Amino acid sequence: MATWANLGLQDSSSPLMEQLNFFHDHTLLILTMITILVGYIMSMLMFNKFTNRYLLHGQTIEIIWTVLPAIILMFIAFPSLRLLYLMDEINTPSITLKSVGHQWYWSYEYSDFLNLEFDSYMVPTNELETNGFRLLDVDNRVVLPMNNQIRILVTATDVLHSWTVPSLGVKVDATPGRLNQLNFLINRPGLFFGQCSEICGANHSFMPIVIE
């Protein structure tokens, strides 16, 4: 989960989030190089006194500064597309969880079992135990197996919600009348916290998600 002054992404708890972390670092490195190069060129333009009286056009340099950015964009686009397709892949799930967003709580159904469904409300601050997390703990946690492919089906009953668990790299819109599907695998034990990530009314901040 996120801690104080945490500027980076959360530690990954799934292979997908691991890949997203790597992609973030890869893109950041490219952006840093571009920023340094452009900054250097701009400072040279401002402080250089030299001019070239005979320079009317430069065919070669124009080809270079058109082709080079296109190649750099390909270095960002290909890993990005690979990840996009990886995140959409569904690999024979061991268990299916259905998550339904309401104003302002989540309800869950384990579709593989008969009559296994429950509501998950945030624990109010005045009922919180000493070791509980304010605005993050719930009365009924979602319990999921480790090292298993898990399919989650997400929908809503009233307005738009978004089922999000950052450390698993999972974010699915909950849309009324529509069933969205996502696949993930948890590769370490623990408690994973998330929150609704779509403005859904007055108590939008008070419908957390906890996976155990």
Side-chain angles (χ1 to χ4, degrees):
M1 64 178 283
T3 51
W4 297 114
N6 190 356
L7 296 176
L9 298 166
Q10 293 182 25
D11 290 342
S12 65
S13 304
S14 75
L16 266 180
M17 188 58 194
E18 222 163 83
Q19 291 296 314
L20 284 167
N21 263 327
F22 289 142
F23 177 66
H24 170 266
D25 296 344
H26 165 78
T27 313
L28 203 63
L29 201 68
I30 292 173
L31 284 175
T32 309
M33 292 192 308
I34 292 169
T35 310
I36 290 168
L37 180 68
V38 172
Y40 172 74
I41 292 168
M42 282 173 72
S43 59
M44 285 297 104
L45 278 172
M46 289 170 77
F47 299 115
N48 226 330
K49 295 285 189 286
F50 299 120
T51 55
N52 188 337
R53 295 192 309 183
Y54 305 107
L55 184 66
L56 297 171
H57 63 86
Q59 206 72 47
T60 319
I61 191 72
E62 283 183 13
I63 290 168
I64 291 168
W65 73 39
T66 305
V67 172
L68 208 64
I71 293 168
I72 291 169
L73 281 175
M74 282 163 67
F75 272 96
I76 297 174
F78 286 134
S80 170
L81 285 169
R82 172 184 158 271
L83 250 178
L84 212 59
Y85 280 101
L86 267 177
M87 289 172 80
D88 245 7
E89 197 70 45
I90 300 290
N91 312 306
T92 53
S94 314
I95 189 167
T96 300
L97 174 72
K98 186 179 178 189
S99 171
V100 184
H102 307 269
Q103 282 181 314
W104 288 272
Y105 64 96
W106 295 99
S107 58
Y108 297 98
E109 300 168 20
Y110 287 87
S111 313
D112 306 294
F113 307 99
L114 292 172
N115 302 325
L116 185 46
E117 50 186 84
F118 56 88
D119 295 336
S120 179
Y121 288 89
M122 185 192 79
V123 179
T125 312
N126 57 344
E127 294 174 22
L128 208 58
E129 290 179 22
T130 325
N131 59 352
F133 293 109
R134 194 178 76 87
L135 303 186
L136 280 180
D137 258 321
V138 294
D139 55 359
N140 293 313
R141 292 170 177 166
V142 179
V143 180
L144 290 172
M146 201 177 104
N147 292 329
N148 277 286
Q149 288 291 343
I150 297 156
R151 172 172 54 191
I152 179 153
L153 304 171
V154 183
T155 186
T157 52
D158 35 46
V159 295
L160 289 177
H161 298 280
S162 185
W163 198 86
T164 309
V165 182
S167 59
L168 298 177
V170 175
K171 187 176 210 170
V172 205
D173 278 353
T175 314
R178 185 189 172 96
L179 210 57
N180 285 330
Q181 172 177 270
L182 204 73
N183 191 60
F184 62 90
L185 180 141
I186 304 169
N187 62 4
R188 65 169 85 179
L191 284 181
F192 308 113
F193 295 89
Q195 286 174 302
C196 175
S197 297
E198 188 75 58
I199 303 289
C200 58
N203 292 336
H204 159 65
S205 314
F206 309 116
M207 45 185 299
I209 299 150
V210 184
I211 295 178
E212 188 176 323

